[in-house]
Amino acid sequence: MSTTQQADGEIHEDQLLNFLVNRLDEEVSLSLANNAEITAEDIYEVLVGACADGTSVSTLCASSQNAPAANTVLYHLRTKLEPDRLERVANTLLRKDLDELLPEQVEVCADLHLRPYYGDEDDTDGLYHSVAKRGTTAFHAYATLYARVKNKRYTLAVRRLKDGDTASSVLAEFFGVLDGLDTEVKAVYLDRGFYDSKCLTLLQAHNYAYVIPIIRWGETIQQELSEGWSRVIQHDLTGKLDGHSWTVEFPVYIDCTYLNGKYDENGVARHGYAADAPFIHSPRDARYHYSKRFGIESSYRLFEQAIAITTTRDPTVRLLYVVVSLLLQNVWRYLHYEYVATPRRGGRRLWWWPYKEFVNMVRRAAWTALAVRRAVPANRPPDDRFHR
């Protein structure tokens, strides 16, 4: 029988809440007045609780005895933070303690996340407009940069998008983040939204290995993707900027597979990838390595599980909710590996601690700290049906 112990101690629910509140308090300064009736920690406690509970700040405060007034919390969130400053602070917040987890070479993924806006069509200033999706063309949009470490995804940076932002400008900012890391970038996996001449030029200028699914622009590439079998071709895109034009050339790996009834379809499925990496030698390699990016979708599902809901159009408040939701994921993965997993030869043993359980622990701790209502008034005493 093994005598290996999981850990020397235990992490309790209230300690998880303290860890998150302390992390926010260290990096995000609200600068409250000396005579303020509440502290920044009170605000962060409500903020973390609302995200873990998947409810609004107003609802959580209304059902709690020890929580500050919701209007007070929202007032400080709207007036004490600016979007640009919050983005800089948020990226520092998300990367805290991650340096010790990142290997010498790291794979990174960038993606665009669009949250639909269904409000007044004439009141969309500050939103991001894109092609129609889920019944709207206006979105609260965010670009995220992830590091992929042993099949775990850590958010390194997040940026709010608005009209006028381009994929290349976002990518250039993300490359600035990567330049500041004490690690080497092994490869960059990008969403097809980054497939254009400017992004490809940036990738080649930084000499990064990359894989991007191509978009069928032009008759040439449409013809290539409609016939033949797996192969590698040379392709180019022409870009224009300030009256100047240039052409960027790159290899395209076309991977072909038989559908065999998948998605109720038959025939041959052809996928094209713009790829330039020393470890990609065939179209199947390009498809395999790009599939590593698909884990981002699970991160977005977790993101939707633990984020405060709101109807506000305030970009700062919405960005803060997104940052806290991404922070919950980063902290869960960090604590899971550093504190919960058992060190052993050949790699740590990851004990069963799903994200949903982590979020539930944080939620219960917030309910306890804020004294969330556990009973409601009744106009008469409960009868025997309420007892057993």
Side-chain angles (χ1 to χ4, degrees), residues 233-381:
I233 64 172
Q234 289 295 319
H235 191 53
D236 61 71
L237 290 177
T238 300
K240 294 182 179 180
L241 182 65
D242 297 333
H244 302 281
S245 63
W246 75 96
T247 300
V248 55
E249 297 182 352
F250 51 93
V252 172
Y253 291 75
I254 301 176
D255 180 68
C256 302
T257 57
Y258 287 112
L259 289 169
N260 293 329
K262 189 176 182 180
Y263 308 120
D264 295 326
E265 295 182 3
N266 291 288
V268 178
R270 297 178 177 86
H271 305 277
Y273 301 92
D276 188 2
F279 48 83
I280 293 180
H281 307 288
S282 67
R284 187 56 52 88
D285 289 341
R287 183 184 178 190
Y288 165 74
H289 285 283
Y290 185 72
S291 67
K292 298 176 181 179
R293 198 201 70 87
F294 294 158
I296 289 182
E297 307 304 328
S298 65
S299 292
Y300 282 144
R301 286 194 294 269
L302 298 182
F303 167 80
E304 295 293 346
Q305 289 179 19
I307 184 171
I309 60 176
T310 181
T311 58
T312 183
R313 284 281 315 282
D314 189 283
T316 305
V317 174
R318 282 189 167 270
L319 177 60
L320 184 59
Y321 290 173
V322 170
V323 170
V324 174
S325 179
L326 296 173
L327 177 65
L328 284 170
Q329 292 187 49
N330 274 12
V331 167
W332 167 61
R333 294 189 176 102
Y334 170 75
L335 295 180
H336 197 180
Y337 186 80
E338 286 293 312
Y339 286 86
V340 178
T342 301
R344 63 175 182 177
R345 182 179 299 176
R348 300 194 176 206
R349 179 182 179 184
L350 288 177
W351 291 81
W352 178 253
W353 192 36
Y355 181 67
K356 186 175 182 179
E357 182 181 351
F358 166 77
V359 170
N360 287 337
M361 293 175 70
V362 175
R363 177 191 297 119
R364 290 193 298 265
W367 283 1
T368 301
L370 300 174
V372 171
R373 184 175 61 217
R374 305 296 178 93
V376 294
N379 57 16
R380 56 180 172 175

Side-chain angles (χ1 to χ4, degrees), residues 91 110-113 141-146 155 157-161 170-171 174 194 300 326:
N91 294 340
D111 203 11
L112 305 178
H113 182 51
Y142 306 92
T144 48
L145 178 69
Y146 292 87
T155 307
V158 60
R159 185 185 185 280
R160 185 179 71 91
L161 301 179
V170 172
L171 192 60
F174 283 166
F194 291 94
Y300 282 144
L326 296 173

Side-chain angles (χ1 to χ4, degrees), residues 88-155:
R88 294 192 299 270
V89 172
N91 294 340
T92 302
L93 173 68
L94 292 171
R95 294 196 300 271
K96 191 174 181 63
D97 295 328
L98 294 187
D99 290 341
E100 57 193 86
L101 299 180
L102 298 181
E104 293 182 0
Q105 289 188 329
V106 65
E107 296 174 315
V108 297
C109 311
D111 203 11
L112 305 178
H113 182 51
L114 308 180
R115 307 196 77 199
Y117 170 76
Y118 298 111
D120 189 350
E121 295 181 358
D122 298 327
D123 187 22
T124 58
D125 292 340
L127 298 180
Y128 182 78
H129 289 80
S130 183
V131 295
K133 181 180 179 181
R134 295 168 65 179
T136 182
T137 58
F139 303 90
H140 299 285
Y142 306 92
T144 48
L145 178 69
Y146 292 87
R148 182 179 177 274
V149 182
K150 296 180 179 178
N151 292 325
K152 294 182 289 293
R153 292 160 299 281
Y154 298 94
T155 307

